[in-house]
Amino acid sequence: MGILIKGGYLIDGKAKRGEVYDILIEGGKITSIGKDLSPGPDCEHLIDAARKVVIPGLIDMHTHAREPGYEYKENIKSVSEAAAAGGFTTICAMPNTKPVNDNRTVTEFIRSRAREAGIVTLLPIGAITKGSQGVELAEIGELYDAGCLAISDDGRPVMNSEVMRRGMEYARGFDMLVISHCEDANLSLGGVMNEGIISTRLGLHGIPPAAEEVMVARDILLAEYTGCRLHLAHISTAGSVRIIREAKSRGIAVTAETAPHYFTLTEEAVEGYDTNAKVNPPLRTSLDMAAVREGLKDGTIDLIATDHAPHALEEKELEFDQAPFGISGLETALSLTLGLVEDGIFSLDEAILRLTINPARVLGIDKGYLAVGADADIAIIDLDDRWVVDPARFRSKGKNSPFAGWKVKGSVFMTLAGGRIVFSR
Amino acid sequence: MGLKGKDLLGIRELETDEIGLILDTAESLKEVSSRDIKKVPALRGKTVVNLFFEPSTRTRTSFELAAKRLSADLLNISVATSSVVKGETLFDTAKNLEAMMADIIVVRHSSSGAPDRLARRLKSSVINAGDGSHEHPTQALTDLYTIRERKGGLSGLIVTMVGDIAHSRVARSNIYALVKMGADVRVAGPPTMIPAGIDKLGVRVYYDLDEALSGADVVMMLRLQLERQGKALFPSIREYSRLYGLNKERLRFAKKDALVMHPGPVNRGVEITSDLADGASSVIMEQVTNGIAVRMAVIYLLSAGRA
């Protein structure tokens, strides 16, 4: 038993080691980090990581695993494989499955399927309300007991402010994180893309930035009032960034994420009615994109999540207004984030923190760093590798990517989860 | 010369000389409809399919007559609801038609962009007969033809478009077309019906109808979708009509010889009074007649491009 990773440039996520170190893994844990470690007699794998970067396995706070109920889009095994291929070793499964993950039975089913797949750590997120209908609270205490660290009515935001307030209050009793998909469903009703000159040209019903921002503001105010830990999902507008920045400056316990498409694409990607660029919240303007980048840089936005939303090919082949929202994102997230390093937004270290220790801290899990005694969740990446995104080669069943054909830089060479090699290029 | 693309999806993609070519071709084909035998053999052996995913009488009929007067074989297919219900996508339907060797597919669809997406996948020519709130290019070409015939040209004319610009495909196509041809385009309506960033298309926005009509050569009224009252876009038909309805008194703000247009069907007494719709300034019926010639021209030119 044992794996030795030799000669990789180490970014450990805590002590900010920026040097070449070897890592010894035994029994699923890191047992030694040092210079010139030599393989013991029972070393199974000697991994040559020379000229590569060794980082903690990535953590995705926002994944749609689709199982149970939508296995034709994705299942727990395929999403786990996609995660591993993208360098992720921990993913959080959103509850908008069929049935909704609003009770212990569904949570336990998801966890057992993840154990059977045995590839990455999958953390289920429970629903705030029964059936995510926004009316009655789900049995949040039982969801907590069953292993949900957070609750969210992702995709079906709780419109009733009283219900949201009570959900937050109730969750506080378990110190559970509440994740909010910020969307005023009345303001966004019928909308399929950002509202602006492009939606006007294309004759598509627009979603104004305010549809997101009024809910960002509401949920921050409710979090401040209830003392609940609030995490805001997939921030897409300049206004949201401004509101969150102000809230943080006042010390409110709010954290936020954005997804790679919001710092890489604008609404112009919708031209030609590309349904793969149909996502909720919608791709916004270049001003919004710049504000999201600035928010990531200064820490207003804590972390990067994928909002991996796989769909079947025939669903994305529908008319633009009929096609479902979502982008298959697990296998492009790292390269797109490295694009921000290329663009000088932040350093490589800072980029990796936003995909590892930052989400770990928000979730309150003991992962996202490399140290002796830590779980051997590790990604080995090749920064100089240039490749062309080809969704046909995704491990995910969801081939719906607006990045098809993009030339990107930086790829995953190998992923280890719990000390086992779960992906190797 | 002919049209550059294999399809006619919108006016946005057309160049000025292509618009001119369509109008000139329509002019020479218009005479066919006034003959005793209203037929020329130009498209004998060609197949045109009217693929309508949304109910329509006048546009479908207009395309049908246009194709028949060119001697093409014509097939009408109405898909009441989206074929998705049957588990078949838009592409499946269209690919079937292509496999049956349809030369031109005329598509009307309630979803913006549906003809565009079809055209990318098909070898057949696609003509957009109106898609969602996007474009209705043959209607705009018809309107251009009608204005040109009456006014002798388009450049420098003041054209005022009134109503629900946000949801109107006729408005978008006419804005692109008229701006390209050098007209001075104004849009007027309540702010709830003026879409974001419309001024970037080169038009001026008015919320006061009298001001918008001042000195206009052409007044284009748009059909009010009455069900939009329930979506908080306007308070009542009464108030809409009072603020944005066209009547004789209002029309006095426009030039004396101003043309009154409407793509039909007209909500009489709502966006326009009956006396005006049927009056001397109205060219609404000429629009219908000219629509056939313009559609003949489009079918003819796309077909010639394929030969």
Side-chain angles (χ1 to χ4, degrees):
Chain A
M1 283 290 287
I3 296 175
L4 182 62
I5 302 171
K6 271 199 85 70
Y9 179 94
L10 188 70
I11 295 176
D12 70 3
K14 269 198 169 164
K16 294 178 182 161
R17 288 187 225 230
E19 270 184 75
V20 171
Y21 280 94
D22 300 339
I23 298 181
L24 185 65
I25 297 161
E26 288 163 310
K29 300 274 183 187
I30 295 171
T31 52
S32 182
I33 297 178
K35 302 251 177 195
D36 300 317
L37 298 181
S38 41
D42 53 354
C43 181
E44 273 181 328
H45 292 281
L46 179 64
I47 298 163
D48 178 12
R51 294 177 306 281
K52 298 195 173 59
V53 178
V54 179
I55 61 173
L58 309 181
I59 298 171
D60 186 18
M61 278 193 67
H62 201 135
T63 309
H64 296 275
R66 303 296 191 208
E67 186 177 351
Y70 302 101
E71 291 83 354
Y72 68 96
K73 295 176 192 265
E74 188 83 289
N75 60 38
I76 286 171
K77 183 158 186 290
S78 63
V79 83
S80 301
E81 285 168 353
F88 289 89
T89 52
T90 301
I91 56 177
C92 297
M94 281 294 166
N96 60 341
T97 45
K98 193 168 70 184
V100 169
N101 182 20
D102 62 0
N103 65 75
R104 174 193 290 274
T105 311
V106 179
T107 304
E108 284 175 350
F109 171 79
I110 293 169
R111 296 188 68 185
S112 78
R113 294 290 286 159
R115 271 193 304 275
E116 282 166 31
I119 299 167
V120 297
T121 302
L122 186 147
L123 303 171
I125 291 170
I128 300 173
T129 63
K130 291 193 180 90
S132 289
Q133 298 287 326
V135 181
E136 290 176 38
L137 294 185
E139 290 178 330
I140 294 168
E142 192 170 274
L143 288 168
Y144 178 75
D145 287 341
C148 293
L149 297 174
I151 50 172
S152 176
D153 274 359
D154 187 68
R156 299 182 67 178
V158 182
M159 280 298 291
N160 182 322
S161 303
E162 165 66 5
V163 174
M164 190 62 169
R165 174 223 162 138
R166 297 303 179 192
M168 285 188 179
E169 271 179 348
Y170 197 82
R172 201 190 56 194
F174 306 95
D175 193 29
M176 273 172 105
L177 182 70
V178 173
I179 301 175
S180 174
H181 162 122
C182 295
E183 176 186 352
D184 182 309
N186 292 318
L187 279 172
S188 67
L189 187 70
V192 295
M193 71 169 295
N194 185 49
E195 183 168 298
I197 178 63
I198 310 273
S199 67
T200 292
R201 278 210 191 102
L202 295 178
L204 292 172
H205 197 86
I207 301 174
E212 174 174 311
E213 292 153 3
V214 296
M215 290 298 252
V216 166
R218 181 198 77 170
D219 288 346
I220 285 173
L221 293 171
L222 290 175
E224 183 177 20
Y225 188 64
T226 60
C228 162
R229 283 195 298 132
L230 173 68
H231 179 73
L232 303 170
H234 43 54
I235 291 304
S236 74
T237 79
S240 296
V241 174
R242 194 175 62 238
I243 297 166
I244 298 163
R245 188 176 286 131
E246 190 268 348
K248 286 191 165 188
S249 75
R250 290 196 297 114
I252 300 168
V254 58
T255 53
E257 73 188 32
T258 191
H261 36 273
Y262 301 117
F263 59 68
T264 310
L265 294 176
T266 67
E267 57 181 351
E268 290 182 28
V270 177
E271 284 273 14
Y273 300 95
D274 182 2
T275 55
N276 287 325
K278 182 178 176 184
V279 61
N280 189 18
L283 301 172
R284 306 282 188 182
T285 67
S286 53
L287 290 175
D288 293 301
M289 189 175 87
V292 166
R293 287 176 165 220
E294 187 57 35
L296 265 176
K297 182 179 178 169
D298 71 13
T300 300
I301 298 173
D302 303 81
L303 59 105
I304 295 163
T306 67
D307 193 7
H308 177 75
H311 291 291
L313 186 67
E314 63 271 20
E315 293 175 305
K316 282 289 193 180
E317 288 216 329
L318 293 174
E319 296 80 343
F320 193 90
D321 55 359
Q322 306 293 317
F325 292 98
I327 291 173
S328 178
L330 280 168
E331 290 164 84
T332 49
L334 176 68
S335 301
L336 295 170
T337 302
L338 293 174
L340 292 182
V341 178
E342 282 285 291
D343 291 350
I345 303 299
F346 42 43
S347 68
L348 175 63
D349 285 38
E350 289 171 315
I352 299 306
L353 296 183
R354 284 155 178 76
L355 285 164
T356 55
I357 192 74
N358 290 7
R361 284 187 181 133
V362 171
L363 287 164
I365 57 173
D366 186 29
K367 284 184 179 292
Y369 62 94
L370 300 178
V372 172
D375 292 340
D377 289 353
I378 298 169
I380 304 173
I381 61 177
D382 184 344
L383 291 181
D384 298 320
D385 184 36
R386 291 173 190 276
W387 58 289
V388 177
V389 177
D390 177 9
R393 302 185 61 184
F394 283 178
R395 267 71 174 177
S396 168
K397 288 190 181 189
K399 313 299 181 191
N400 47 308
S401 172
F403 300 105
W406 276 46
K407 292 186 179 70
V408 293
K409 199 177 155 196
S411 64
V412 179
F413 171 73
M414 186 177 281
T415 308
L416 296 92
R420 293 175 45 243
I421 297 170
V422 291
F423 171 78
S424 173
R425 193 176 64 209
Chain B
M1 73 160 274
L3 298 177
K4 294 190 176 69
K6 82 172 170 73
D7 313 294
L8 176 66
L9 301 174
I11 305 290
R12 185 183 171 192
E13 296 82 18
L14 283 187
E15 288 176 20
T16 312
D17 56 352
E18 294 180 287
I19 295 173
L21 174 67
I22 294 169
L23 300 185
D24 292 345
T25 309
E27 203 172 307
S28 57
L29 288 169
K30 188 177 176 183
E31 170 267 335
V32 173
S33 297
S34 57
R35 291 184 195 172
D36 193 25
I37 295 170
K38 301 177 185 59
K39 222 175 185 51
V40 289
L43 262 68
R44 223 163 73 178
K46 298 278 183 183
T47 305
V48 177
V49 176
N50 267 340
L51 181 60
F52 278 55
F53 292 87
E54 196 182 61
S56 154
T57 308
R58 62 186 72 200
T59 304
R60 188 182 54 73
T61 312
S62 186
F63 270 107
E64 183 166 353
L65 284 174
K68 285 181 170 166
R69 286 179 188 171
L70 289 168
S71 304
D73 294 317
L74 181 109
L75 187 65
N76 274 313
I77 300 178
S78 297
V79 188
T81 50
S82 175
S83 50
V84 176
V85 181
K86 296 181 288 182
E88 192 180 58
T89 67
L90 179 65
F91 297 120
D92 294 328
T93 309
K95 285 200 99 64
N96 272 295
L97 294 172
E98 192 176 57
M100 295 174 203
M101 308 295 171
D103 297 288
I104 294 181
I105 301 179
V106 179
V107 181
R108 158 72 63 101
H109 203 293
S110 58
S111 295
S112 299
D116 187 298
R117 283 168 65 73
L118 274 178
R120 283 164 198 267
R121 293 290 197 89
L122 299 179
K123 290 192 285 292
S124 310
S125 290
V126 173
I127 299 175
N128 180 2
D131 63 327
S133 307
H134 177 223
E135 284 222 41
H136 193 350
T138 57
Q139 180 65 46
L141 291 164
T142 298
D143 296 347
L144 249 55
Y145 183 94
T146 306
I147 298 170
R148 196 177 79 161
E149 196 174 57
R150 283 298 203 102
K151 296 285 179 190
L154 295 159
S155 183
L157 294 180
I158 297 175
V159 182
T160 302
M161 230 171 273
V162 186
D164 188 356
I165 310 295
H167 299 92
S168 174
R169 51 194 175 211
V170 174
R172 276 173 186 69
S173 286
N174 264 309
I175 288 169
Y176 287 127
L178 289 161
V179 168
K180 281 182 192 204
M181 301 311 279
D184 177 0
V185 184
R186 302 171 177 177
V187 297
T192 46
M193 293 180 170
I194 305 293
I198 190 80
D199 54 307
K200 294 195 182 80
L201 301 186
V203 303
R204 266 188 295 170
V205 178
Y206 293 78
Y207 303 126
D208 181 282
L209 182 57
D210 296 347
E211 210 183 306
L213 290 174
S214 170
D217 295 287
V218 178
V219 185
M220 248 182 220
M221 302 307 293
L222 299 172
R223 179 178 166 80
L224 182 71
Q225 301 289 329
L226 302 177
E227 68 274 15
R228 300 208 189 275
Q229 185 183 342
K231 294 188 173 164
L233 291 183
F234 63 97
S236 66
I237 290 171
R238 177 173 169 272
E239 174 149 319
Y240 180 87
S241 185
R242 194 172 62 79
L243 292 173
Y244 298 102
L246 190 65
N247 54 38
K248 263 191 180 146
E249 292 67 47
R250 278 239 160 91
L251 191 59
R252 293 206 182 98
F253 287 96
K255 289 214 179 100
K256 271 205 181 78
D257 58 349
L259 305 179
V260 173
M261 307 181 77
H262 193 296
V266 177
N267 290 308
R268 288 172 181 268
V270 180
E271 62 257 10
I272 186 167
T273 54
S274 268
D275 59 336
L276 268 193
D278 305 329
S281 317
S282 167
V283 291
I284 297 173
M285 287 305 115
E286 284 172 44
Q287 287 174 272
V288 177
T289 306
N290 293 336
I292 298 168
V294 166
R295 289 176 178 110
M296 285 171 78
V298 169
I299 293 171
Y300 175 77
L301 289 168
L302 286 178
S303 184
R306 294 174 60 78

